[in-house]
Amino acid sequence: RKEVEQDPGPFNVPEGATVAFNCTYSNSASQSFFWYRQDCRKEPKLLMSVYSSGNEDGRFTAQLNRASQYISLLIRDSKLSDSATYLCVVNRKAAGNKLTFGGGTRVLVKP
Amino acid sequence: NAGVTQTPKFQVLKTGQSMTLQCAQDMNHEYMSWYRQDPGMGLRLIHYSVGAGITDQGEVPNGYNVSRSTTEDFPLRLLSAAPSQTSVYFCASSKDRGRGTEAFFGQGTRLTVV
């Protein structure tokens, strides 16, 4: 079993709609959680961090459920520019601060 | 703002050749790491460093060497290139903030081994 698992998608989303997807992690000692965005053939960039029970940044909301070991990302009022791959990332400082990446969820927003 | 700079952006190697991928950061970050990204596999950690003079292996270290003689630079050496090393390579750096850190990535090196 992979340490971080994501639905690869693609999620085809009409412009203006809401889309949500999850990421599960297997190591209960994971302590920091992030969503990164990766555009085609580009480097990943931090979208938002999830440190406690959740985090909201404009149209993006991330939730953390430690009991069930998953985080989620919700995008409201989807824009064409939201089309990208969203990478779930977890961190364990005890493991040398290594980041472990999920395989990514691809989102395609269509007019 | 330079951030993390990787060179080269593209490279084609013949099987058995060696080369060094360069990575430099100007943010005075302690942590640096190298990842490879293959289709459907996500990013996998090759090697990482928690500071100058300290390196350690990641998930897929075989066939690669690293060194960290300065805080700024973290080169990745392919010892004898194999077709299985065809991939996109990303270097990343991050500042220790105690509870996990944001990683900043270079633009990537697309390597093809023929």
Side-chain angles (χ1 to χ4, degrees), chain B residues 3-8 20-26 31-34 67-68 70-76 90-93 104-107 109:
Chain B
V4 179
T5 302
Q6 277 184 245
T7 56
T20 298
L21 280 61
Q22 302 292 343
C23 177
Q25 53 93 7
D26 61 359
Y31 291 86
M32 295 188 74
S33 50
W34 276 101
S67 59
R68 184 96 180 270
T70 67
T71 299
E72 294 79 18
D73 299 299
F74 191 44
L76 177 72
F90 288 104
C91 176
S93 75
F104 295 85
F105 287 83
Q107 292 184 314
T109 297

Side-chain angles (χ1 to χ4, degrees), chain A:
Chain A
R1 182 185 176 189
K2 292 181 181 179
E3 187 169 343
V4 180
E5 296 200 75
Q6 295 183 249
D7 183 337
F11 285 67
N12 295 300
V13 185
E15 190 176 9
T18 296
V19 61
F21 42 89
N22 293 338
C23 159
T24 60
Y25 60 96
S26 62
N27 195 317
S28 60
S30 300
Q31 60 189 106
S32 299
F33 308 88
F34 308 88
W35 284 104
Y36 278 72
R37 171 191 170 127
Q38 186 174 29
D39 294 302
C40 186
R41 304 177 75 85
K42 299 284 190 179
E43 72 274 23
K45 292 184 179 179
L46 180 67
L47 176 67
M48 58 196 304
S49 305
V50 187
Y51 284 126
S52 55
S53 60
N55 196 33
E56 184 173 318
D57 184 1
R59 298 181 294 106
F60 298 83
T61 300
Q63 294 286 337
L64 167 63
N65 186 315
R66 285 192 182 273
S68 300
Q69 296 185 196
Y70 74 87
I71 66 173
S72 62
L73 182 66
L74 182 146
I75 308 174
R76 287 184 299 275
D77 188 22
S78 297
K79 311 293 185 188
L80 297 177
S81 57
D82 294 334
S83 295
T85 296
Y86 293 85
L87 304 172
C88 172
V89 185
V90 304
N91 166 281
R92 286 183 292 124
K93 187 168 173 63
N97 210 38
K98 290 182 287 187
L99 298 178
T100 302
F101 287 77
T105 295
R106 190 173 175 208
V107 173
L108 297 174
V109 182
K110 300 185 176 182

Side-chain angles (χ1 to χ4, degrees), chain B residues 3 7 9 17 19 35 37 43 53 56 64 68 71 81 90 94:
Chain B
T7 56
K9 288 187 170 55
Q17 286 185 314
M19 79 159 294
Y35 297 86
Q37 186 173 33
L43 277 78
D56 207 344
Y64 308 95
R68 184 96 180 270
T71 299
F90 288 104
S94 55

